[in-house]
Structure formats: structure tokens, C-alpha cells
Amino acid sequence: MIGYYVHHQGRGHLHRAQCVAAHVPGAMTILSSLPKPQDWTGSWVSLPPDSDDAPVDPTARGRLHWVPVHHPQHRERMGTIAEWIRQESPALFVSDVSVEAATLARLMGVPVVVAAMRGDRGDEAHRLAYDLADALIAPWPQSLPEPDWPAHWHAKTLHTGSISRYDHRNVQARDARDRLRDREVVVMLGAGGSNLTTDQIQAAAQATPDWSWTVLGGPHSVWTEDPWPVLRRASVVITHAGQNAVAECAAARVPTIVIPQDRPHGEQHATARALHAADLATVREAWPQPVVWPRLLETTVTRQDRWERWSHGGGARAAARLLTDLASRTRGGSACGSR
């Protein structure tokens, strides 16, 4: 049995867990405060939502991320995880992502794998989780590593490349002439929040009257559970730099404009820097002014497709092999070492 903690923010953590689980031959249980998806057939442990109403010392004086004092929901949340570990005695616990869940599992004697995130992870809480982990899974290519990681993190990291629910599609990029003929812009906003306004999108659309604009997600548009058909027909996609959004654009082999959102530890800005360095996407640090959009769309739609470097299609299988191997070895009594 493998336990897999899934963070509730956005949908990328859940999509990644489901992708990996599809390639794990043994049993996997997801623990999350997200609703159980209808297509999930495995075990699911529902965790109480972690309200942030008037928390007291939530970071334990900077040592952790979320451990508020005398907080009933947090205590129930941690207790539910601990009770599941006590009853099921899992061979391995995956945290995607919570420093506290990873630490709790390791305190209870369960080997831990942490899903790594880009950005500044040098704070004490992240150092604790990454140090105690038996392995780190980095869903980006080894050729584009995080520059400030210590050597002992790199030594136990499996760089899988991106992990997307669309990796099995194995598609080719559409011809640039077709995209220029169709001239459809798709703005894909995630479930994790966005500071982009409707007025900004409308101003950009008005500045590009020969392009049609479609908006997926966000507070002022209908949520699209499966954006694949829209991504494939798009001439250009505009999205943020969340790991899942980038993975889905890469799997679709669609020219992409990436505009990172502000997130804790600078995660999206770090991802955007890596994409820019490898010339995989057009990156802008902020939403451009209307006058910029005509030229920006024209140059992006004709850019050379290099998404194979980010998304080779085997990320979930590679992660599953690592988890299966570690679970087998720890059950057999051998120590988990660096990879």
C-alpha cells in the first residue's frame, strides 16, 4: 500500500496523483480534502478542510508552514492521516505537497517521497521535508534543474519531465500555417486563482480583431474539466506557469504564452525562467498592454515547437516505477538510498 497526500489548491496535484497511480501495480490510497473524483476507483481518505480563520502561530515560529495552535480542524486533519497510517501501515507515503504531512508520516516510521516544487525552497520547513525524504520527484527535465538546490537533494531526485493526464496522446504539433489561418487564442486559467481581470482580456481581444478569443476557467468563465479539444484546436494558448497548466500545453504541443502568477516561494516565476531559458514558450512577466498583442500573437504562433524537451510522455510511468521500487525495497527491509 502507498499513501498519497494531495494538496487541495488547484487541480494539478490531483491530476498528477491520478496519472502516477494509473501506472502503480499495487494499491494506492489518496488522502485529500478535495472531493473524490467520479473516475477514481481506488481508496480515498477525505480530510477535513483546513480553515485559516484567525490562526495562532501557524508556522511554529518559522519552522513549519501550517501548524496553528489549538486549531480543531488542523488537529482532526493530522489525526485522520495518523490513524490511516496506523491502521494501514503503508510501505511508502507520498506528499504532494505538505511539509507537515511528510513529517508526520516519517515520524510514524514510514518512508517518504516528496513531490518537489520549483522556486525558493530554502526555508526551514522545506529543508526539513526535502532532507527527510527518501526521494524527491521533480516534474521537469533534468536538463533544466533548480539552480540553488544543495547537492544531496539533487542526488536523490528523479527528474521525470512534466506529468500530464494527456501524455498518452502522443500528438504532433499542428502546422503553423493552419494555426495562422484559424487564429484562435485560448486563455487557460487554473483553479488555483488568478489576478487577471476580464477587462484586461477584453482589451487584448479588442486590439486583435482578426483573432477569436476563448477563456477557460477563472472566476468569470465556465470551468472546463477536459480542455484537451480546445488546446488542440488553439492557435496560441495563454496561461500561467503552474506545473499542471504548462504540462497540458506541452502535451498538446501548442505555442504558448506563459505569464506567471505570484505564488508562495516564487514557484511560477521560477518555472517561467526555466521555460524562457530553454526557449520552450513565450514568457512575459506581466499581462502586456493592448498595443503589444498583435505582434506578440503573430510571433508566438510561428515559434518552433520544442515541447518534447519538457514533455516526453513518460513522466508518470517513471514516477510510478520509483514509488513501486521504493515500496518494495522498504517492505523488504533494505534502506532507501539516494538515486
Side-chain angles (χ1 to χ4, degrees):
M1 170 67 74
I2 296 174
Y4 200 121
Y5 173 89
V6 172
H7 196 275
H8 60 274
Q9 186 74 13
R11 292 296 180 269
H13 305 288
L14 176 58
H15 290 164
R16 182 158 54 218
Q18 291 178 283
C19 290
V20 174
H23 297 283
V24 172
M28 177 181 285
T29 295
I30 288 182
L31 302 91
S32 180
S33 59
L34 286 171
K36 179 183 176 181
Q38 292 184 349
D39 59 349
W40 176 255
T41 58
S43 298
W44 185 280
V45 175
S46 294
L47 301 177
D50 225 348
S51 170
D52 59 356
D53 294 338
V56 177
D57 191 19
T59 68
R61 291 166 293 283
R63 298 309 192 266
L64 294 167
H65 289 154
W66 186 252
V67 285
V69 171
H70 301 307
H71 193 292
Q73 285 177 292
H74 175 68
R75 184 178 294 120
E76 182 69 18
R77 186 183 186 84
M78 291 293 103
T80 301
I81 296 173
E83 181 61 18
W84 180 83
I85 292 174
R86 189 189 69 81
Q87 290 185 357
E88 298 296 333
S89 186
L92 190 68
F93 189 90
V94 184
S95 178
D96 186 2
V97 284
S98 165
V99 167
E100 291 71 34
T103 304
L104 174 63
R106 189 62 188 86
L107 284 169
M108 296 184 71
V110 179
V112 169
V113 173
V114 170
M117 304 282 282
R118 285 193 181 272
D120 181 6
R121 307 294 162 174
D123 60 280
E124 293 195 38
H126 275 112
R127 291 206 308 269
L128 171 64
Y130 285 29
D131 284 350
L132 64 78
D134 291 272
L136 302 173
I137 292 177
W140 56 81
Q142 189 172 9
S143 59
L144 295 170
E146 276 297 273
D148 298 324
W149 275 19
H152 67 280
W153 289 2
H154 282 296
K156 60 181 177 182
T157 296
L158 173 67
H159 291 86
T160 62
S162 66
I163 296 175
S164 166
R165 53 188 166 159
Y166 303 133
D167 284 341
H168 65 284
R169 305 287 175 103
N170 193 29
V171 300
Q172 299 296 317
R174 287 176 56 207
D175 187 88
R177 290 171 295 182
D178 293 338
R179 297 187 188 277
L180 276 170
R181 182 191 64 241
D182 296 341
R183 291 181 176 268
E184 180 177 4
V185 181
V186 172
V187 182
M188 185 169 68
L189 306 176
S194 172
N195 57 18
L196 182 62
T197 68
T198 301
D199 287 346
Q200 287 175 303
I201 298 174
Q202 289 178 344
Q206 290 169 1
T208 54
D210 52 343
W211 292 76
S212 64
W213 286 65
T214 301
V215 180
L216 303 179
H220 306 295
S221 182
V222 177
W223 174 256
T224 303
E225 187 60 39
D226 182 9
W228 178 258
V230 184
L231 293 178
R232 281 297 292 163
R233 76 173 192 235
S235 302
V236 176
V237 173
I238 305 166
T239 192
H240 53 88
Q243 288 184 1
N244 188 64
V246 173
E248 293 190 344
C249 291
R253 300 297 193 259
V254 59
T256 305
I257 299 171
V258 173
I259 304 174
Q261 298 283 303
D262 290 334
R263 292 291 186 270
H265 311 283
E267 172 210 342
Q268 290 202 12
H269 290 281
T271 297
R273 286 193 295 271
L275 295 172
H276 176 71
D279 195 25
L280 303 181
T282 301
V283 174
R284 294 293 182 271
E285 286 299 311
W287 187 264
Q289 293 297 314
V291 68
V292 175
W293 280 105
R295 177 62 178 165
L296 184 59
L297 295 178
E298 293 284 349
T299 56
T300 300
V301 77
T302 57
R303 68 176 298 120
Q304 182 179 352
D305 174 46
R306 295 186 174 89
W307 276 127
E308 173 70 23
R309 184 177 179 187
W310 191 267
S311 168
H312 55 71
R317 287 191 297 272
R321 284 195 298 270
L322 170 67
L323 300 186
T324 303
D325 179 54
L326 288 178
S328 175
R329 285 196 282 141
T330 56
R331 275 298 190 217
S334 60
C336 290
S338 299
R339 292 183 63 81

